[in-house]
Amino acid sequence: MSKINILGVFAVFLIFIECQFGSQDYFSGKVIKVIDGDTYDMVADDSEDTIRVRMDGIDAPERGMPFSRVSTNYLSDLCLGQYIEVEKTGTDQYGRTLGFTYLKDGRELGREMLKAGLAWHFTKYNSDQELADLEDEAKQAKRGLWRDPNPVPPWEKRALNRQNVAAKDAFDEDGETLEDKYKNNSLNTGDTPYFEIYGGNEPCTLGGCSQIKVTTPDNSDVLVTIKKDNWVVRHAYIRASSSYTFEVPNGTYQPFFYYGKGWNPEREMKETPKGLVKGGFIVYEEFGKDDPQVLKNNILEYVLILQVNGNFSTKESNMEEAL
């Protein structure tokens, strides 16, 4: 079996695109689950499929932010188990339906969340003056999240997250910072935190097999994903100064390297056709990748070294393509 050595040095440029435009449509159904203060699952009257709806015009506190639980519970009280009508305005990059949601009594859910002070007017994608006025009224009355004179809106938290500083300003529902809660948390080398979505690391029992060995830096943990045909077929958590070897049938594979510190098992990372990928680092995130490699009875070895400056022999990547 031949051996290929690759010295990997990696960086990250996170790309996040939010889309909220499309054609209008109307449909009705029943709310079966509330995800947070601006997102819920429903089953349409003419289908048995579950539809995830992201409410247009508002942005509610995300998990880990103050008032996240209150916002989620308030939306649940309004609509869980209720029959609603959705005015569809588009589909976002995650495949969620965007729209305005109306209860049987005519109330629109986004407006109700703004009135209660449990969501922001999402002005980046909506310029409706009525929604702006509702937010302003709640702010003046110091309702909900406006009890804080300077609440941090979710889009700023997402921006901070992409700059690797969000964890210092993010809180769990008991007020403890996520950095304090998870900064020393890590998994064992070889653990597969995304098992429910991507499965485990099966040994290669076919006639033609190859190996991919990854050795991590001494100052970082790494979550490695191995993709074939744009789907993760192997993945493993590897602690700092450790190594792990994947066995794969001969073929073409692309490795991705997700680096960071402090593992938060509840962090929501990415929606996939098989469900939500949960679990991620809270600080110093970086993503790297190599080009697809054709393996035929080979051992492909990566020795990962994180450097602040210098040339990069692996390419930058992002969460969307790595997971």
Side-chain angles (χ1 to χ4, degrees):
M1 183 177 282
S2 61
K3 186 173 183 179
I4 306 169
N5 289 301
I6 297 179
L7 182 66
V9 188
F10 50 94
V12 61
F13 295 90
L14 288 175
I15 300 171
F16 189 91
I17 301 172
E18 297 175 272
C19 306
Q20 296 218 17
F21 300 99
S23 60
Q24 288 191 344
D25 193 10
Y26 291 86
F27 59 93
S28 58
K30 183 178 181 180
V31 177
I32 60 172
K33 182 179 181 181
V34 171
I35 308 303
D36 56 29
D38 57 34
T39 307
Y40 62 85
D41 288 343
M42 65 172 295
V43 176
D45 290 338
D46 58 354
S47 172
E48 295 182 355
D49 295 333
T50 299
I51 302 170
R52 179 152 294 182
V53 177
R54 171 63 165 85
M55 292 157 58
D56 204 344
I58 69 169
D59 205 5
E62 296 185 344
R63 180 175 295 181
M65 294 181 65
F67 286 92
S68 170
R69 179 185 295 172
V70 176
S71 178
T72 302
N73 290 344
Y74 191 80
L75 183 60
S76 294
D77 290 342
L78 285 171
C79 70
L80 186 59
Q82 300 296 314
Y83 286 92
I84 47 91
E85 183 176 57
V86 177
E87 176 189 354
K88 182 178 179 180
T89 58
T91 303
D92 71 6
Q93 69 180 101
Y94 305 110
R96 299 178 299 186
T97 294
L98 300 169
F100 297 99
T101 305
Y102 298 91
L103 298 169
K104 282 190 173 182
D105 61 11
R107 289 180 295 165
E108 197 277 313
L109 290 181
R111 288 166 171 80
E112 295 302 309
M113 298 300 290
L114 289 171
K115 288 178 185 178
L118 295 174
W120 283 262
H121 179 206
F122 208 173
T123 55
K124 182 177 180 179
Y125 299 108
N126 183 284
S127 58
D128 190 327
Q129 187 59 47
E130 180 187 356
L131 300 189
D133 291 343
L134 290 173
E135 180 188 75
D136 189 60
E137 290 172 10
K139 187 185 302 185
Q140 295 300 322
K142 293 182 170 53
R143 299 190 200 112
L145 57 88
W146 298 112
R147 296 173 191 170
D148 183 339
N150 294 296
V152 178
W155 56 86
E156 289 187 11
K157 178 180 180 293
R158 291 190 290 265
L160 289 171
N161 200 25
R162 294 193 289 277
Q163 298 169 28
N164 296 321
V165 297
K168 297 179 181 179
D169 297 315
F171 298 84
D172 67 9
E173 292 166 346
D174 297 319
E176 182 180 15
T177 66
L178 294 182
E179 183 179 37
D180 288 340
K181 186 174 183 178
Y182 291 116
K183 64 183 179 181
N184 296 317
N185 190 44
S186 72
L187 305 180
N188 295 318
T189 295
D191 282 355
T192 52
Y194 306 146
F195 178 85
E196 292 184 0
I197 305 299
Y198 298 127
N201 295 321
E202 300 297 330
C204 179
T205 58
L206 302 178
C209 297
S210 293
Q211 295 180 349
I212 301 174
K213 181 179 179 180
V214 180
T215 300
T216 56
D218 60 6
N219 62 346
S220 66
D221 293 356
V222 182
L223 191 288
V224 179
T225 56
I226 309 295
K227 283 192 169 185
K228 181 178 177 62
D229 299 325
N230 204 35
W231 183 255
V232 176
V233 295
R234 298 286 192 277
H235 78 286
Y237 189 102
I238 309 176
R239 285 190 172 189
S241 300
S242 301
S243 63
Y244 184 82
T245 301
F246 300 89
E247 294 184 5
V248 294
N250 289 337
T252 302
Y253 299 91
Q254 184 171 22
F256 293 83
F257 312 103
Y258 172 29
Y259 158 88
K261 291 184 178 181
W263 186 260
N264 176 1
E266 296 301 318
R267 182 178 174 188
E268 297 181 355
M269 302 293 286
K270 177 183 176 179
E271 287 282 359
T272 75
K274 291 188 177 181
L276 178 64
V277 175
K278 294 177 66 175
F281 296 110
I282 60 171
V283 291
Y284 307 127
E285 286 184 313
E286 298 196 21
F287 291 83
K289 67 179 178 181
D290 192 16
D291 291 326
Q293 300 291 322
V294 179
L295 300 181
K296 186 175 182 180
N297 302 321
N298 299 124
I299 298 175
L300 177 61
E301 183 171 358
Y302 293 90
V303 179
L304 303 178
I305 303 173
L306 181 66
Q307 294 181 348
V308 176
N309 298 300
N311 295 319
F312 296 92
S313 58
T314 56
K315 299 180 179 180
E316 65 269 14
S317 184
N318 59 70
M319 183 189 304
E320 280 303 305
E321 68 172 355
L323 301 182

